Amino acid sequence: QVQLVESGGGSVQAGGFLRLSCTASRNTYGTFCMGWFRQAPGKGREGVAFISTTGSATKYSDSVKGRFTLSQDNARNTRNTLYLQMSSLKPEDSAMYYCAADPVPCSLSADKDEYPYWGQGTQVTVSS
């Protein structure tokens, strides 16, 4: 099991940037694939960025590709924080952002049902 806590959300103007953090209760290296999802009011939960257990592979949705970047702690033995650097933000990026974890065996899945562990979310609001 793993507990996840997101932070870093806030309100920014269009074109601005934010960095979200997801802190896990344990080292995720080699054990969990990680993902960021978002959900706007009245819409379904959308997967936006995913990283493999070792961090060697990432995948982004078309809606954020080139603007959002995933990163993790460099040290393998203390890898428990996942970051989502968001730049060139648009009003349509406004949503509650959730971190999720999928234990091995796992893939860079955009299907929210593949992820059994979720954080409580952090709100991102982008104004025009």
Side-chain angles (χ1 to χ4, degrees):
Q1 288 191 343
V2 63
Q3 286 77 47
L4 304 172
V5 178
E6 303 96 334
S7 61
S11 297
V12 296
Q13 291 190 327
F17 62 89
L18 282 173
R19 189 176 79 159
L20 305 184
S21 299
C22 171
T23 300
S25 59
R26 54 176 287 186
N27 188 350
T28 60
Y29 183 88
T31 309
F32 294 91
C33 294
M34 304 292 293
W36 283 97
F37 291 75
R38 66 186 182 187
Q39 188 166 16
K43 296 188 176 181
R45 192 163 295 190
E46 172 195 17
V48 296
F50 315 93
I51 192 164
S52 63
T53 61
T54 62
S56 60
T58 56
K59 184 173 76 174
Y60 300 91
S61 67
D62 289 342
S63 60
V64 307
K65 196 174 297 181
R67 301 187 298 119
F68 290 13
T69 303
L70 285 166
S71 63
Q72 292 177 301
D73 296 348
N74 289 329
R76 287 173 51 174
N77 61 341
T78 60
R79 182 166 296 175
N80 69 338
T81 303
L82 175 69
Y83 303 100
L84 182 67
Q85 180 71 44
M86 308 186 295
S87 59
S88 301
L89 283 163
K90 306 175 182 180
E92 51 263 43
D93 294 319
S94 297
M96 185 71 80
Y97 281 72
Y98 298 91
C99 177
D102 183 15
V104 294
C106 56
S107 62
L108 302 181
S109 176
D111 182 356
K112 64 183 186 305
D113 293 332
E114 296 290 326
Y115 294 79
Y117 304 108
W118 292 83
Q120 82 290 348
T122 186
Q123 178 68 41
V124 171
T125 303
V126 184
S127 58
S128 58

